[in-house]
Amino acid sequence: GDRVYIIGDEGGQVLHPSVVHYGDDGLPLCGWPAREMLMSKPRQTVSSPKRLLGHQYGDKNAAAIMHATGKQCKEAPDGSIVVDVNHTDYAIIQICAPIIAHVRDIAERAMGQDVTQAVFSVPVSFRESQRSALERVAQLAGLEVLAMIEEPVAAAMAYGFGQDRSEIVAVYDFGGGTFDFTVLDISGYSFEILARGGDAWLGGDDFDLSLANSLANAFWRATEVELRDRAVEWTRLLFACEAAKRQLTTSESAKITVDRLIEHPKVINLNQSLSRRQLEDICKEHLDRSLQICSTALSRAGLEPEDIAQVVVSGGVSHIPFVRRGLEDFFGRQIGTLVDPDRAICLGAGLRAAQLTKHPVAGADGILGER
């Protein structure tokens, strides 16, 4: 009809982790089933490969991300990054392509027809080399890139498309791999970007990494075992830290438990309690970096926080209570949830696809705030 909506898989899930597992037959498994393999077969499983898409091996910020994969990363002849997965080398575009093919397959099964084109959302900070790499990923997945839309613009479209609004809106987009902040002037169906800023190396994965580093430091002091030098153990720790971070969104405390984290020379279990306050102390620097980008962008536009009519939040990190609180302190007001933060960008990309193909569209499902 005339609505954009999210297609779920057979289990009704609409969010899919960027994880790829390569089985013994070399065939890729993606999404939730692949994520389950992170614990049991981490050497054959890669998470968040998109953070390295389009980057060169020599990029100064890439080193920490490559180390966090727990895999040996190498430099390809063209300077790009190659990952050793269970003794087989894969280029980053080869690892990302099955993820795109996975969600394409979900759409095709649901609609009973082929999907050959797509609008892709990209971070504000995406360089030309990254856009070119994404285009190659899409081609490997059997898709033509109809357009690329910047993620904050997509989120703003999900909020304001067809609502006959006339206001200045800020989009605070804190995803798993990148952070973007954009100020837009919305007028009807028109969206003018007034200022923007972003950090390609700041995302929810960095919260997991900071937690894991803090625990690894304490573990070394207690046992003199360096977890960061052990690929399997390090991956299990990161997995447990991510789970604890998610739990702390709704609970005041969480337990980080990894049974038999170390097997030799003796068995050592990890049992550590973590409070919301501890999470804030460990990860506050990531929030501060995001707010500094907000401040710089507003100054560039000659605006103050009070000049912003609405703040649209998107991305999974925006669920974290101390992040939402810091954002409210920055803008000096309560920040409501106007669009589902997990779906806003996808809905906006769908609206853009409807525009480009001249398909009549009235709006999108998933708008939560008052209209």
Side-chain angles (χ1 to χ4, degrees):
D2 62 357
R3 304 291 294 179
V4 171
Y5 61 95
I6 308 291
I7 295 174
D9 63 11
E10 289 87 345
Q13 303 206 76
V14 298
L15 302 177
H16 306 277
S18 296
V19 182
V20 182
H21 170 77
Y22 289 92
D24 295 335
D25 56 5
L27 296 177
L29 179 71
C30 300
W32 293 106
R35 189 176 185 271
E36 293 302 314
M37 305 303 287
L38 269 173
M39 293 288 277
S40 59
K41 295 186 176 181
R43 295 188 188 280
Q44 296 171 240
T45 312
V46 185
S47 62
S48 298
K50 60 185 180 179
R51 297 199 80 183
L52 294 171
L53 183 64
H55 288 289
Q56 296 293 96
Y57 183 85
D59 287 354
K60 64 177 183 178
N61 291 308
I65 307 301
M66 287 190 286
H67 186 269
T69 65
K71 311 286 185 300
Q72 181 184 1
C73 297
K74 309 171 186 176
E75 184 173 8
D78 63 356
S80 63
I81 299 167
V82 171
V83 183
D84 181 339
V85 184
N86 202 30
H87 308 299
T88 300
D89 289 344
Y90 293 92
I92 297 298
I93 61 169
Q94 289 177 292
I95 301 174
C96 290
I99 299 172
I100 301 301
H102 174 64
V103 292
R104 182 211 64 210
D105 290 345
I106 291 171
E108 289 185 338
R109 285 196 297 270
M111 296 190 296
Q113 64 186 71
D114 292 342
V115 175
T116 59
Q117 294 179 314
V119 169
F120 284 83
S121 62
V122 296
V124 167
S125 54
F126 240 42
R127 303 192 305 259
E128 188 56 41
S129 61
Q130 292 167 288
R131 291 172 182 262
S132 297
L134 178 57
E135 195 146 13
R136 282 184 286 155
V137 167
Q139 289 170 351
L140 287 175
L143 289 170
E144 175 193 350
V145 179
L146 192 60
M148 294 185 191
I149 181 172
E150 291 183 347
E151 290 172 349
V153 177
M157 287 188 72
Y159 161 70
F161 185 88
Q163 299 297 320
D164 198 26
R165 295 182 177 277
S166 181
E167 58 191 12
I168 295 177
V169 172
V171 179
Y172 180 89
D173 174 30
F174 213 151
T178 57
F179 170 76
D180 290 321
F181 180 77
T182 303
V183 182
L184 305 101
D185 186 350
I186 297 178
S187 180
Y189 288 89
S190 173
F191 296 77
E192 180 188 357
I193 297 176
L194 302 180
R196 56 188 167 191
D199 189 334
W201 304 102
L202 176 62
D205 289 348
D206 297 297
F207 286 68
D208 307 337
L209 189 58
S210 292
L211 287 176
N213 276 321
S214 177
L215 287 170
N217 290 338
F219 196 85
W220 184 88
R221 289 192 295 269
T223 66
E224 293 191 352
V225 174
E226 178 52 84
L227 295 173
R228 282 160 290 215
D229 292 339
R230 298 173 175 232
V232 174
E233 290 83 353
W234 178 243
T235 301
R236 295 181 69 201
L237 179 60
L238 279 171
F239 193 91
C241 287
E242 183 195 9
K245 177 191 69 177
R246 292 178 180 273
Q247 186 179 343
L248 289 172
T249 298
T250 55
S251 303
E252 290 291 336
S253 63
K255 195 84 169 178
I256 300 177
T257 302
V258 185
D259 293 331
R260 306 182 73 90
L261 179 59
I262 298 297
E263 296 275 0
H264 303 289
K266 64 177 182 178
V267 173
I268 305 177
N269 301 317
L270 175 69
N271 290 287
Q272 179 68 49
S273 295
L274 183 71
S275 67
R276 277 187 178 178
R277 181 56 187 269
Q278 288 173 307
L279 173 69
E280 179 175 350
D281 290 342
I282 294 169
C283 299
K284 186 176 182 297
E285 63 174 301
H286 306 314
L287 170 65
D288 291 343
R289 280 170 64 186
S290 77
L291 294 178
Q292 182 55 55
I293 291 169
C294 297
S295 180
T296 300
L298 287 172
S299 296
R300 197 177 298 127
L303 298 170
E304 299 293 335
E306 55 266 27
D307 296 323
I308 303 300
Q310 296 285 0
V311 180
V312 177
V313 296
S314 62
V317 176
S318 64
H319 291 292
I320 298 175
F322 90 85
V323 171
R324 184 63 70 98
R325 190 172 67 248
L327 191 59
E328 291 179 339
D329 290 343
F330 180 84
F331 281 98
R333 75 187 87 159
Q334 187 173 353
I335 304 296
T337 302
L338 302 171
V339 186
D340 185 333
D342 295 321
R343 305 185 184 200
I345 291 169
C346 189
L347 290 169
L351 287 165
R352 182 63 179 142
Q355 276 188 321
L356 292 171
T357 55
K358 295 182 170 43
H359 186 94
V361 61
D365 293 342
I367 310 304
L368 305 179
E370 295 181 3
R371 311 309 272 164

